[in-house]
Amino acid sequence: MDIEFVRRQFPALDRDFIFMDNAGGSQVLGKVIERISGYLTHHNVQLGASYKVSREAGEKLAYASKQISKFVNASRPEEMVIGPSTSMLLRILSLCISKEWQAGDEVIVTNTDHEANVSCWTDLTKKGINIKIWKANPDTLELELKDLKALLSNKTKLVAITHCSNILGTINPVKEITSMVHNAGALICVDGVAYAPHRQIDVTDLDVDFYVFSWYKAYGPHLAVMYGRYDLLYEMDGINHYFFKKKDVPYKFQPGNLNFELTYSLLGLTEYFQEMYKHHFPKISAGSFQKKVEKVYEVMSSHEEELSGILLQYLNENPKIRIIGSPFFNKDKRIPTISFVHSELKSDEIVEQIDKYRIGIRFGDFYAKKLIHDLNLEGKNGVVRVSLVHYNTKAEVDRLVWAFSKIL
């Protein structure tokens, strides 16, 4: 991967600071910033009016929605529900989909998820929905399919899982899980927030019912998107004003409508993938946009694998450190979100000492509170988390390792 080409696309990287808290929020592409400014300058009007500027603005947002749907390989733009955050979109989904559920129906959640894909479901106990928890194996810290099979029943309405833990970094076998859930007659909802910055999302290949992630953790603005199968969204009651009908998808799930300028800015992200492909494969015609995205993510993940290998090797050689998650990097098995604890130091003590080196990392539970509780890490103030992405460099990781060597 041409790291210099990549870093030129992110204006914030042109400063004396190392960003390694990317799972909390990545830096934003320059093209995204330009699109926000351009929309507000030239198209900042209400949609649906008869005058020319309003019609043009509507056309541009429709095009942006179309490109977003291509990015995740959805079947149609209407399957893209735009909202302010993953937490809000999942809350809206839980409120809408549960209207038809009855007391005694069941939802399965995991103890590895961010609370965004847990609390919105566990709160349904107030209306009599039973919640079952699929717990990771305490030794391997992996979700085992046999445990899910034991939890599924003829009353299971939905299984809520994460594609990738924001602490463990483990990539879950979503396609296999989805097949098992569907065979049991249930739906599946996947939180892809930690996965989206690192790997291609193909909702058609995964065969999921709902898939949600946040753009601000994947090089875009503070905005989120939820894919939902059109037939499910069509039949579901929305949360918008009473006069919206079944056919008003996705608007009936977007009270106050979507954010115009931020949605339009996502074109900058799709353009980045186009240009990344053209730069790295100038003589190869990939065909579809999805194929180009696939190739770009392959380049990114190989670079991330190299960076993670450096950090994991250092951490594995320190007997006082316990890596929370797989201690080895395989791009098919984990992402470069790496968490650990120290046998003597608390996690906040480590991170606060790293601050003086102008390196941004983080400590805590990262809203995966159930996992931190089950691993008995609350006394450590959670984990130390280093979350890398493809714009990080080998020199940056070397500097972090050097800084750690002064502390650990």
Side-chain angles (χ1 to χ4, degrees):
M1 192 186 77
D2 185 347
I3 188 63
E4 295 304 322
F5 173 84
V6 167
R7 289 180 69 84
R8 286 197 299 271
Q9 314 309 312
F10 293 87
L13 300 183
D14 189 22
R15 62 190 295 187
D16 181 26
F17 191 83
I18 297 174
F19 295 95
M20 291 185 172
D21 182 27
N22 298 293
S26 68
Q27 295 309 302
V28 181
L29 284 158
K31 288 183 176 297
V32 169
I33 298 169
E34 291 168 8
R35 289 283 187 173
I36 294 172
S37 177
Y39 188 92
L40 290 174
T41 301
H42 301 292
H43 304 287
N44 189 31
V45 296
Q46 184 56 275
L47 302 187
S50 59
Y51 54 86
K52 182 180 179 182
V53 178
S54 179
R55 293 199 309 271
E56 289 176 346
E59 290 167 0
K60 289 186 177 295
L61 285 167
Y63 179 70
S65 294
K66 184 177 180 180
Q67 293 303 104
I68 294 166
S69 69
K70 286 183 178 180
F71 189 76
V72 300
N73 200 24
S75 63
R76 55 198 294 175
E78 292 85 356
E79 293 180 322
M80 300 289 99
V81 182
I82 306 292
S85 67
T86 292
S87 295
M88 180 59 76
L89 287 173
L90 286 168
R91 180 66 64 172
I92 289 172
L93 175 63
S94 73
L95 292 173
C96 294
I97 199 171
S98 65
K99 288 181 181 179
E100 302 301 319
W101 293 351
Q102 306 297 321
D105 287 339
E106 298 171 353
V107 173
I108 298 172
V109 299
T110 85
N111 72 332
T112 65
D113 274 70
H114 184 290
E115 276 295 307
N117 203 21
V118 178
S119 293
C120 62
W121 306 113
T122 56
D123 284 351
L124 296 178
T125 56
K126 298 169 187 174
K127 62 175 293 180
I129 304 301
N130 294 327
I131 305 297
K132 296 180 176 179
I133 300 179
W134 180 15
K135 291 194 174 187
N137 182 309
D139 297 320
T140 65
L141 298 183
E142 293 187 6
L143 294 168
E144 297 188 353
L145 296 181
K146 64 179 179 62
D147 295 331
L148 172 60
K149 186 176 181 180
L151 293 171
L152 289 165
S153 78
N154 59 6
K155 292 189 175 182
T156 305
K157 289 295 184 180
L158 181 136
V159 176
I161 65 165
T162 180
H163 202 154
C164 178
S165 165
N166 71 338
I167 288 181
L168 303 173
T170 306
I171 298 173
N172 292 316
V174 169
K175 193 171 181 179
E176 195 172 351
I177 294 169
T178 297
S179 178
M180 183 179 291
V181 170
H182 284 169
N183 287 339
L187 301 175
I188 187 166
C189 176
V190 181
D191 177 351
V193 171
Y195 185 86
H198 308 285
R199 304 290 185 272
Q200 183 182 28
I201 297 166
D202 187 334
V203 295
T204 299
D205 180 63
L206 293 172
D207 195 29
V208 291
D209 302 299
F210 304 99
Y211 194 105
V212 192
F213 66 94
S214 298
W215 294 105
Y216 74 95
K217 299 185 180 185
Y219 322 117
H222 207 290
L223 196 69
V225 63
M226 178 178 72
Y227 158 81
R229 265 180 34 213
Y230 183 78
D231 59 322
L232 296 173
L233 296 179
Y234 182 90
E235 291 298 331
M236 205 185 305
D237 285 340
I239 201 171
N240 213 330
H241 304 308
Y242 73 91
F243 46 80
F244 288 105
K245 309 300 182 186
K246 282 182 176 290
K247 65 180 178 61
D248 294 315
V249 178
Y251 194 16
K252 64 182 180 180
F253 304 106
Q254 296 172 166
N257 213 329
L258 44 75
N259 181 295
F260 299 155
E261 64 270 22
L262 299 188
T263 301
Y264 180 67
S265 77
L266 295 176
L267 286 175
L269 189 141
T270 62
E271 289 168 351
Y272 173 62
F273 276 81
Q274 296 268 23
E275 294 189 6
M276 275 282 283
Y277 180 84
K278 184 178 180 180
H279 182 81
H280 289 87
F281 305 98
K283 297 181 180 180
I284 303 175
S285 175
S288 69
F289 175 59
Q290 285 82 9
K291 286 292 184 183
K292 292 179 181 179
V293 171
E294 179 184 355
K295 295 294 289 184
V296 170
Y297 271 117
E298 287 176 3
V299 171
M300 290 178 175
S301 62
S302 294
H303 177 71
E304 292 175 346
E305 188 171 40
E306 180 182 4
L307 299 183
S308 300
I310 298 169
L311 179 57
L312 286 169
Q313 181 178 348
Y314 166 77
L315 295 175
N316 277 311
E317 290 173 352
N318 189 327
K320 296 180 180 179
I321 288 174
R322 174 163 63 106
I323 296 171
I324 308 301
S326 172
F328 307 105
F329 197 87
N330 178 329
K331 61 185 178 182
D332 297 322
K333 300 291 186 180
R334 68 136 55 233
I335 59 162
T337 295
I338 298 168
S339 303
F340 67 90
V341 290
H342 192 275
S343 61
E344 298 172 3
L345 299 171
K346 290 187 176 181
S347 296
D348 56 318
E349 295 172 335
I350 296 169
V351 171
E352 288 166 2
Q353 289 188 67
I354 290 292
D355 289 347
K356 64 186 177 184
Y357 295 100
R358 295 186 62 77
I359 301 173
I361 62 174
R362 204 176 186 93
F363 71 92
D365 58 41
F366 306 101
Y367 287 23
K369 286 183 174 291
K370 290 178 175 59
L371 180 62
I372 295 300
H373 173 78
D374 288 350
L375 295 177
N376 296 314
L377 294 177
E378 292 160 320
K380 287 287 184 183
N381 291 330
V383 297
V384 176
R385 188 179 74 176
V386 179
S387 47
L388 308 171
V389 290
H390 73 286
Y391 56 59
N392 288 120
T393 69
K394 182 178 180 295
E396 289 179 332
V397 178
D398 287 341
R399 180 166 176 78
L400 176 65
V401 168
W402 173 79
F404 275 152
S405 70
K406 304 290 184 181
I407 299 167
L408 306 180

